[in-house]
Amino acid sequence: MSSNRLSTYSPVDVTTVIYHPATGITHTICGYTDNSIVNIERGKETYTHYNGVDDTPSRIYSADTSAKLTISLQQTSASNDVLYHIYNYDRIYRGSNAGVFHVTTKDGSGRSVLHTTEAYIGVVPNQQFGDSINSREWVIHCTRCEDVLGGNGPISTQDVAAIEKLGGVVPAEWRG
């Protein structure tokens, strides 16, 4: 039987934590917008399809594990200040890579997580001012990402067995 039990996703349990080794600061991002919290976009497809002139199929493997992490913040969020100053620190100390930081995004109500020890902000977001709260879209470039893409509900015994045969590990609290 496949895992088709009730699952729960809680947006308030999605966290992004930044650790900046050069200064020792740790900051948990806060003040997300209500329509988008975090968007993770992979840098490149792992396999690209190729067909020869004689219709002989092949695929090309890419070891690229980079990603772009876009964080949508309210203009009122103090995390804008922290991210701006990390960006500025990186500009000032650009030759030493002292502005590079670690970032972890985790779905606390599920099993998805992304982590890298090499992240940087390429540009500050565009700014808009109006008669309501606007958003700031921070794009964080992440290299050599480690991630797990998982669901938010219990996993059946059958699916646990399949995941384990594929080399995965299912923590005890998710076994249904």
Side-chain angles (χ1 to χ4, degrees), residues 83-98:
L83 291 171
Y84 172 76
H85 286 287
I86 288 173
Y87 164 81
N88 203 42
Y89 189 96
D90 195 21
R91 281 184 344 111
I92 293 167
Y93 298 102
R94 65 187 167 273
S96 65
N97 273 350

Side-chain angles (χ1 to χ4, degrees), residues 58-91:
S58 297
R59 63 182 185 163
I60 304 162
Y61 172 77
S62 171
D64 182 359
T65 59
S66 68
K68 283 195 303 188
L69 180 68
T70 302
I71 299 173
S72 301
L73 298 178
Q74 301 169 41
Q75 72 185 64
T76 56
S77 170
S79 291
N80 288 307
D81 298 84
V82 174
L83 291 171
Y84 172 76
H85 286 287
I86 288 173
Y87 164 81
N88 203 42
Y89 189 96
D90 195 21
R91 281 184 344 111

Side-chain angles (χ1 to χ4, degrees), residues 63 74 126 149:
Q74 301 169 41
N126 293 332
L149 182 59

Side-chain angles (χ1 to χ4, degrees), residues 97-134:
N97 273 350
V100 173
F101 54 92
H102 302 202
V103 64
T104 301
T105 296
K106 179 169 181 16
D107 175 2
S109 64
R111 295 177 296 280
S112 296
V113 63
L114 173 100
H115 174 74
T116 184
T117 58
E118 295 179 337
Y120 63 93
I121 300 166
V123 66
V124 295
N126 293 332
Q127 298 178 58
Q128 179 181 355
F129 300 92
D131 62 358
S132 64
I133 300 293
N134 290 291

